[in-house]
Amino acid sequence: MTLLAHPPASGSGATAPGPGAGRQVWRRLRARPSAVAAAAVLLVLVLLALAAPLLAHLAGQDPNAYHDELVDSARGGVPTGSFGGISGDHWLGVEPGTGRDLFTRLLHGARISLLVALGATVVQLCVGIAAGLAAALGNRFVGQLLGRFTDVMIALPMLVLGVALTAVVPPGFPRPLLLILVIGLLGWGGTARMVRAQTLALRGLDFVDAARLSGSGTWRIARRELLPSLAAPVITLAAINLPGNMVTEASLSFLGVGVKPPTPSWGQMLSSAQTWFRADPAYVLLPAGLLFVTVLAFTVLGDGVRTALDPREGSRLRVGTRKERSA
């Protein structure tokens, strides 16, 4: 990725790790209202997802309980009442055909979507960092082999392979864990390429030569000297990958190979909402709107983190304070 092409220790504006640098990054991030607003939205969403069982108990609803009396069987299962069956008991209405409470299912769906996105991102970072360091610090044969393999992984169609892999795994395997592994193990190529490029730029600098002359081995240098210098671009890439992983999970669930009922997820709800978008538009708009807002918030926050860590890089989204936009 071109936005991470500069080595952070040789003339680029990337902030070096450290307590003072951390405060500097935090000040830059707070100066961007868009990033602060995105972080607030994500914080609220995460708190709601974590508190989903408690909120379901307070609402007196079970996300998997059917309520046949709340749907009109004569009309094919359309919720009775206005706006999808909104009432004092069902704050956002009920699911067409089943009568399950929509509010609690959306909250539990948020838990699955966020868990899969975060877990897949962690897997991508772990595999990508290890492969990138090995390609940059290993011998020529290892570097070329890992480089070509990384190129192949980047070129592979992730969604097609994800559908194939998740379809052949036995149904008893936990689907959230399966999605984390599939998305993470298919999506580490970009991280590996970035880490390799950054490591090749850093390994010839003075502090690495000094560590080598002091007798440190290759992997000790990687652990103590290179990894801290890679923190800024890795954090930036993780923030950028998160919304993409969330969309991938929703896409797989939408195609029917992701999370299986009765466990809710936003993609699965959108898939079952295809036949109801005219009779009950709220059933489509609610999960789609939440997915859109979450992905947008992650994207804006990721862009803010990238610019805060490297202020010389212009914002891709061109959002923030008036002073920043005029700079």
Side-chain angles (χ1 to χ4, degrees):
M1 297 182 68
T2 56
L3 63 94
L4 298 171
H6 324 304
S10 60
S12 124
T15 304
R23 287 193 294 270
Q24 221 174 21
V25 169
W26 175 240
R27 283 198 300 270
R28 291 175 190 151
L29 196 59
R30 284 191 305 174
R32 299 176 61 83
S34 56
V36 174
V41 169
L42 292 174
L43 178 61
V44 170
L45 182 66
V46 169
L47 291 176
L48 288 174
L50 292 175
L54 175 61
L55 293 173
H57 177 73
L58 293 176
Q61 299 296 333
D62 183 341
N64 298 321
Y66 285 64
H67 300 281
D68 295 332
E69 72 280 3
L70 299 177
V71 295
D72 188 351
S73 56
R75 298 173 58 199
V78 176
T80 58
S82 304
F83 304 106
I86 291 179
S87 65
D89 294 328
H90 303 280
W91 300 341
L92 295 179
V94 297
E95 192 176 60
T98 64
R100 291 181 292 194
D101 183 70
L102 198 52
F103 172 72
T104 55
R105 289 189 66 76
L106 285 170
L107 291 181
H108 282 78
R111 304 185 79 179
I112 295 296
S113 297
L114 290 171
L115 173 65
V116 171
L118 291 170
T121 302
V122 171
V123 173
Q124 288 172 350
L125 293 181
C126 292
V127 178
I129 291 172
L133 287 173
L137 300 177
N139 58 43
R140 184 175 179 181
F141 173 76
V142 172
Q144 290 182 344
L145 180 64
L146 286 174
R148 299 294 78 78
F149 185 61
T150 300
D151 292 340
V152 170
M153 294 301 299
I154 293 174
L156 289 175
M158 179 188 289
L159 195 59
V160 175
L161 279 177
V163 170
L165 291 174
T166 51
V168 300
V169 173
F173 195 89
R175 303 305 284 191
L177 178 59
L178 175 62
L179 289 173
I180 289 173
L181 293 176
V182 167
I183 297 172
L185 295 177
L186 290 178
W188 55 266
T191 304
R193 177 179 285 181
M194 182 275 295
V195 170
R196 179 178 180 273
Q198 292 286 332
T199 304
L200 289 174
L202 289 168
R203 70 178 185 178
L205 298 181
D206 293 342
F207 72 97
V208 177
D209 290 338
R212 190 180 295 115
L213 291 173
S214 69
S216 297
T218 300
W219 296 110
R220 180 181 174 86
I221 292 174
R223 187 177 71 253
R224 300 192 62 178
E225 307 294 340
L226 295 176
L227 281 178
S229 299
L230 291 170
V234 165
I235 291 171
T236 300
L237 192 60
I240 294 173
N241 284 346
L242 262 169
N245 291 337
M246 182 168 282
V247 171
T248 302
E249 182 277 325
S251 301
L252 292 173
S253 296
F254 180 85
L255 293 172
V257 294
V259 177
K260 297 295 185 183
T263 304
S265 84
W266 291 344
Q268 178 202 104
M269 295 173 75
L270 285 172
S271 177
S272 60
Q274 292 180 85
T275 56
W276 300 101
F277 70 95
R278 293 195 180 188
D280 187 8
Y283 186 42
V284 183
L285 295 176
L286 286 172
L290 283 172
L291 182 61
F292 172 77
V293 169
T294 306
V295 170
L296 178 62
F298 269 124
T299 303
V300 173
L301 181 60
D303 186 74
V305 169
R306 181 181 67 86
T307 308
L309 288 169
D310 190 354
R312 297 180 61 181
E313 290 282 356
S315 172
R316 294 176 305 143
L317 300 180
R318 295 300 178 193
V319 289
T321 65
R322 183 178 302 175
K323 182 177 179 181
E324 288 169 339
R325 290 196 296 270
S326 62

